[in-house]
Amino acid sequence: MGLTRTEIFSTEQNQLATLFKALAHPARIAILQRILSSNTCICGDLVDELGLAQATISQHLKELKNAEIIQGTIEGVSVCYCINPVTWKSIETQMSAFLGAYKQEASCC
Amino acid sequence: MGLTRTEIFSTEQNQLATLFKALAHPARIAILQRILSSNTCICGDLVDELGLAQATISQHLKELKNAEIIQGTIEGVSVCYCINPVTWKSIETQMSAFLGAYKQEASCC
DNA sequence: AAATTAAATCGTAATATTGCAATATATAAT
DNA sequence: ATTATATATTGCAATATTACGATTTAATTT
């Protein structure tokens, strides 16, 4: 117990849930919004701007990287992060397919 | 520690994260897909169809209800669940605003 | 090569989530 | 009223997440 029973769900269901999970933290939303608005984003800037410790930011960045939502390039001593365009497109596709599946027919309750 | 520091984020960021969190489990995705395909959905059917205990299904339904993503009506001995159209619309709006904020300009890395 | 700077990793404490058996509650049928 | 059926709640164990100080790793500058 205490462990998600992924075996009983479809790959699609697990993937979608994993994607949502990667986005299910305000710090990660904030990091992504920062990247979205600046296009570019140096890791250290996030530490200054969000009120979280360097280790914490680094951990959130790692999760976003693991989900392949962002990618980082070493730029001298710093690391520059940006959106992974392929994954972002895929997120848009998957989520709009999921959300768009609702057709407001005669509601039952 | 071990507790999300919501105070340092905007209401919008927290709301979006909360929404994503409600959807961040394959059982809840499966439940929603089931409702989306049938429009109607009796709680007991979910227990039969997904391979999870009745208490577990009930708990996931409660989370979706708390997030106001679904609503339930007592129908005799059973409970009939369906999508909350207002919240669903709002999810679509919020998520597409968030995802649509990415304009693939000259990528930096 | 030593010092500096930036980011990642480790270790750990606090809290949250997941799953289920057992029990409680609520409505319907007898 | 009693019984049957369906769902919710409680209690608890196992695992996951969040946060951060301390340390390590990696690249740059001196």
Side-chain angles (χ1 to χ4, degrees), chain A residues 4-71:
Chain A
T4 300
R5 295 194 46 200
T6 51
E7 8 42 273
I8 65 172
F9 301 106
S10 72
T11 311
E12 191 210 344
Q13 288 165 340
N14 284 313
Q15 277 181 345
L16 203 47
T18 301
L19 262 181
F20 280 126
K21 196 178 220 169
L23 300 172
H25 195 287
R28 295 196 287 276
I29 298 289
I31 288 170
L32 289 172
Q33 286 179 334
R34 177 63 220 283
I35 298 179
L36 289 170
S37 75
S38 312
N39 209 40
T40 278
C41 177
I42 301 294
C43 170
D45 294 349
L46 292 168
V47 178
D48 296 337
E49 289 168 31
L50 313 182
L52 289 169
Q54 184 266 321
T56 308
I57 296 288
S58 199
Q59 198 174 260
H60 284 302
L61 285 169
K62 191 184 178 182
E63 280 184 68
L64 290 170
K65 254 190 301 178
N66 285 346
E68 295 181 288
I69 297 172
I70 60 172
Q71 57 200 189

Side-chain angles (χ1 to χ4, degrees), chain A residues 24-30 50-52 56 60, chain B residues 1-19 21:
Chain A
H25 195 287
R28 295 196 287 276
I29 298 289
L50 313 182
L52 289 169
T56 308
H60 284 302
Chain B
M1 299 129 220
L3 165 143
T4 300
R5 294 191 46 198
T6 51
E7 7 47 271
I8 65 172
F9 301 105
S10 72
T11 310
E12 191 211 343
Q13 288 165 340
N14 285 314
Q15 276 181 346
L16 203 46
T18 301
L19 263 182
K21 196 178 219 167

Side-chain angles (χ1 to χ4, degrees), chain A residues 13 33 39 73 82 88 99 109, chain B residues 13 33 73 82 88 99 109:
Chain A
Q13 288 165 340
Q33 286 179 334
N39 209 40
T73 322
C82 68
W88 198 267
L99 294 173
C109 47
Chain B
Q13 288 165 340
Q33 286 179 334
T73 322
C82 68
W88 198 267
L99 294 172
C109 47

Side-chain angles (χ1 to χ4, degrees), chain B residues 29-71:
Chain B
I29 297 290
I31 289 170
L32 290 171
Q33 286 179 334
R34 178 62 219 284
I35 297 180
L36 290 171
S37 74
S38 312
N39 209 40
T40 277
C41 178
I42 302 293
C43 169
D45 296 348
L46 292 168
V47 178
D48 296 337
E49 290 168 30
L50 312 182
L52 289 169
Q54 184 267 322
T56 309
I57 297 288
S58 196
Q59 196 174 262
H60 284 302
L61 285 169
K62 191 184 181 183
E63 278 183 70
L64 290 171
K65 254 190 301 178
N66 285 346
E68 294 180 291
I69 296 172
I70 62 173
Q71 56 199 190

